[in-house]
Amino acid sequence: MGKNVVNDISTKVNLKGDALRNAILDVAAKLFIERGSAGTSIQNIAERLGLSRTAVYYYFKSKDAIQRALTEEVLADARKLAGDTVARDDLDPVTALRALVAQHAQLILSRPAEFRVADRTQADMTSKQRAAMQSARRNVLDNFSSVIERGIREGQFRMVDAHVAAFSLIGMCNWSAWWYKPSGRLSIAEVADLMAEMGVNALLRDEARRSRSPADARESLRLVREDLDYLEKIIDRAADAT
């Protein structure tokens, strides 16, 4: 079987190793999105690549294994990256948030097929697959939220709803799986860094607030109102929870 697979790889798609594995995942992702998992077979995937089914089976033992690779693996990687960053004691909230956004964006930009499938094929997943995906997503969201909340407490970020802010930043990163083109003028690292910079700048406090010396009374009043609005939301949430 191994010899036939090597022949398929070298003569039909001119790919090997990780490159072919990624090509299989990319084609499978497109077919899953077009037809759904139930409407896609190993034969469909092989034909789209110009391979035999044997070549695909060399990398993935079943269609379920392909779907797991397209959903569970990449989200587990996202979960680990976020968790490792938040666990670092040497990072202040601004640096930590910049790292969270940059690495999450870079993961998505380098593996867009997996994220597209995770977004579009939940209905075709088993309950176990959906639970694993949702758990990983919640964990990433919680890590983003915790860093933003810490930045608010320490006076580095504006008084915002940390949960909504985290959703917004993650959503910005996730959407790149649909629009980014590797052939574009910016590299993956450059796009990821740009997203991280925009994300952090959207939350940083005004320079006047951070310096504790507002330029005038009107600006001071605006900042006080911002604090009061935020405190009111906290009180309302606490009251709803009791």
Side-chain angles (χ1 to χ4, degrees):
M1 181 183 74
K3 185 176 180 181
N4 290 337
V5 171
V6 171
N7 287 339
D8 276 329
I9 295 171
S10 61
T11 62
K12 292 186 178 181
V13 294
N14 198 30
L15 294 170
K16 62 180 70 174
D18 289 342
L20 179 53
R21 185 180 187 275
N22 291 337
I24 292 170
L25 289 174
D26 189 58
V27 166
K30 292 173 182 175
L31 289 172
F32 286 165
I33 292 169
E34 291 171 9
R35 308 178 181 185
S37 176
T40 301
S41 66
I42 292 288
Q43 182 65 36
N44 298 146
I45 297 168
E47 288 176 355
R48 184 70 66 93
L49 279 165
L51 295 171
S52 69
R53 285 189 301 172
T54 303
V56 178
Y57 281 128
Y58 180 80
Y59 289 91
F60 298 98
K61 302 304 181 186
S62 66
K63 187 175 71 175
D64 284 345
I66 294 176
Q67 188 161 9
R68 284 196 300 273
L70 285 169
T71 55
E72 295 179 22
E73 289 181 13
V74 70
L75 290 172
D77 288 346
R79 179 178 191 162
K80 185 178 186 306
L81 282 171
D84 289 348
T85 298
V86 173
R88 290 181 57 180
D89 295 331
D90 60 317
L91 299 181
D92 63 85
V94 173
T95 304
L97 184 63
R98 184 176 284 111
L100 282 175
V101 176
Q103 67 195 16
H104 192 66
Q106 192 150 355
L107 179 64
I108 293 171
L109 291 164
S110 61
R111 298 167 68 178
E114 290 95 318
F115 279 92
R116 291 198 297 266
V117 169
D119 273 346
R120 294 294 178 90
T121 64
Q122 291 189 53
D124 293 330
M125 295 179 187
T126 66
S127 57
K128 182 178 179 181
Q129 287 172 332
R130 280 196 298 273
M133 183 184 71
Q134 291 166 0
S135 174
R137 283 179 165 171
R138 279 195 303 271
N139 187 268
V140 172
L141 176 65
D142 289 345
N143 280 315
F144 269 72
S145 297
S146 68
V147 168
I148 295 171
E149 287 170 352
R150 182 159 67 93
I152 293 171
R153 289 196 305 270
E154 295 180 10
Q156 293 179 292
F157 294 149
R158 295 186 295 111
M159 296 288 192
V160 297
D161 187 302
H163 201 68
V164 172
F167 261 125
S168 300
L169 295 181
I170 293 169
M172 175 181 67
C173 295
N174 289 349
W175 181 238
S176 67
W178 299 93
W179 60 258
Y180 178 72
K181 303 296 182 186
S183 59
R185 59 187 179 83
L186 295 180
S187 68
I188 286 175
E190 288 172 327
V191 173
D193 287 344
L194 181 58
M195 286 186 177
E197 195 65 22
M198 289 190 297
V200 169
N201 286 340
L203 293 178
L204 283 177
R205 279 193 162 191
D206 297 333
E207 194 63 38
R209 164 57 65 79
R210 284 183 281 137
S211 66
R212 297 296 178 182
S213 56
D216 55 37
R218 188 178 297 277
E219 177 64 8
S220 296
L221 182 59
R222 185 186 70 78
L223 295 173
V224 169
R225 284 174 175 160
E226 182 182 276
D227 283 351
L228 290 174
D229 287 343
Y230 181 72
L231 290 172
E232 186 176 6
K233 290 175 183 177
I234 293 177
I235 293 170
D236 288 344
R237 284 201 297 266
D240 290 340
T242 58

